[in-house]
Amino acid sequence: MSQPALTRRSAEITAAAAVWRRGGLVAFPTETVYGLGADATNEQALARIFAAKGRPADHPLIVHLASSAELPRWARDIPPVAWPLAARFWPGPLTLIFRRAPGVSDLVTGGQDTVALRVPGHPLALALLSAFGGGIAAPSANRFGRVSPTLAAHVVAEFGTVVDCIIDDGPCAVGLESTILDLTGPLPRVLRPGAVSRSALGEILGTAPEIGGAGAPRAPGRLASHYVPDTPLRLVTDAAAELAGRSALPEDKPVAVLALRTPLAPPPNCRWVGMPNDPEHYGQQLYARLREIDSWDCALVLVERPPTADGWEAVHDRLTRASGSPGR
């Protein structure tokens, strides 16, 4: 969003910041997904997030900041490598996990000694954070465990009037949640893949970080079943062969398919959705497509496994969890 557009929305930004100051909930766009935000220092407001989402109390929140200069307010024992990481990837889709500073709420950290922080790469989100003047805890603006919202209309469908204010700025540019990098252990490790790749992180760290590992802090989006659509989702290698091999297909409801390629003649009673063949645009569209399929009342959705090449890690992670398969 350009600066003139932000100027035209200054009244909306001021009003949203006022909602946060009085303990309200504001759904707002980031470059990843729409977030459900509340004042990260207000425990009553934080409790409203958990109640609205149906989120378990031990599931930590990510605190969104206007700039990396606010890090010492929220984190302690900040490792030196955090600053070049912030300089390279903030604002942007990278969340860093630190030891939490004194006074950070247990509701933010899920009762852990760690806190997750990021500076979002969306001009409107940054304007909102600057107007508020503090940290905003903001998980995705959807019911816990369900498909994340990438449009304001998705937030409305999830929450209706439960949210005090919804800021609409069109579709999210990235469409998948941020990469989460844990900086509290002996070596940095990726807890959730996202748009910032391990190889890109390795350019700053000197080597690509490992993935997960024993004793890692709890972090958002790591449950084996997460990002789950209403329509049962199955991951398959070849959707056409899967359909041809099924002894019986539902007659009363269609079967949806999400795939990189579209057959010349899709099977009957099948709704075939072609997806982009690059991970950036696939990820950008994935959640909106799954929500669209939910509106079709299909019996199930078959998703052909995308390539395993570099760049597809975040897409594979979300699809695996959306199918309810065990995590890596």
Side-chain angles (χ1 to χ4, degrees):
M1 174 181 289
S2 66
Q3 189 58 45
L6 285 178
T7 301
R8 289 194 296 271
R9 301 186 70 168
S10 60
E12 188 176 16
I13 291 167
T14 300
V19 170
W20 277 331
R21 291 191 189 98
R22 62 174 181 261
L25 300 182
V26 176
F28 65 102
T30 76
E31 78 281 20
T32 56
V33 300
Y34 275 74
L36 182 63
D39 180 354
T41 66
N42 184 330
E43 294 210 337
Q44 288 184 328
L46 293 170
R48 286 191 63 193
I49 289 179
F50 286 89
K53 286 180 61 72
R55 188 182 183 93
D58 65 351
H59 211 68
L61 304 172
I62 296 173
V63 177
H64 292 62
L65 308 175
S67 79
S68 59
E70 299 180 36
L71 272 181
R73 160 66 181 84
W74 299 91
R76 74 176 198 276
D77 304 330
I78 300 173
V81 74
W83 300 108
L85 285 168
R88 169 74 179 273
F89 299 111
W90 284 356
L94 175 66
T95 294
L96 299 177
I97 295 183
F98 302 95
R99 297 294 174 193
R100 75 182 193 179
V104 177
S105 171
D106 281 345
L107 291 177
V108 166
T109 68
Q112 303 177 107
D113 188 40
T114 56
V115 63
L117 305 170
R118 91 175 183 103
V119 178
H122 190 295
L124 181 53
L126 291 174
L128 289 164
L129 291 164
S130 295
F132 175 69
I136 291 296
S140 56
N142 56 279
R143 307 287 178 178
F144 183 72
R146 311 303 286 179
V147 178
S148 298
T150 56
L151 292 170
H154 299 160
V155 182
V156 174
E158 289 278 339
F159 292 120
T161 59
V162 171
V163 179
D164 301 297
C165 176
I166 299 175
I167 306 293
D168 185 355
D169 197 49
C172 298
V174 174
L176 297 179
E177 299 79 2
S178 60
T179 303
I180 298 179
L181 182 69
D182 175 27
L183 296 180
T184 65
L187 294 173
R189 50 188 170 179
V190 170
L191 303 187
R192 180 176 70 187
V196 177
S197 67
R198 291 174 60 238
S199 59
L201 292 168
E203 294 175 8
I204 302 298
L205 299 172
T207 185
E210 296 299 319
I211 300 176
R218 293 190 306 278
R222 297 188 69 211
L223 298 179
S225 178
H226 215 77
Y227 318 108
V228 178
D230 292 334
T231 309
L233 185 151
R234 288 187 55 193
L235 282 170
V236 298
T237 301
D238 186 325
E242 178 77 14
L243 289 168
R246 295 176 72 90
S247 58
L249 289 174
E251 296 183 0
D252 56 334
K253 293 184 177 182
V255 173
V257 173
L258 216 61
L260 299 184
R261 53 197 174 84
T262 302
L264 294 177
N269 205 28
C270 172
R271 302 192 69 168
W272 201 287
V273 180
M275 292 293 286
N277 60 8
D278 66 280
E280 179 180 351
H281 291 97
Y282 191 110
Q284 183 184 50
Q285 295 183 24
L286 175 60
Y287 290 154
R289 291 296 195 181
L290 291 178
R291 285 178 173 270
E292 182 182 15
I293 289 170
D294 278 343
S295 73
W296 295 344
D297 191 27
C298 292
L300 76 159
V301 54
L302 301 177
V303 180
E304 286 192 346
R305 296 181 188 275
T308 57
D310 289 345
W312 287 93
E313 294 86 356
V315 169
H316 278 281
D317 175 81
R318 304 312 190 272
L319 288 175
T320 298
R321 297 180 196 279
S323 71
S325 301
R328 286 181 294 185

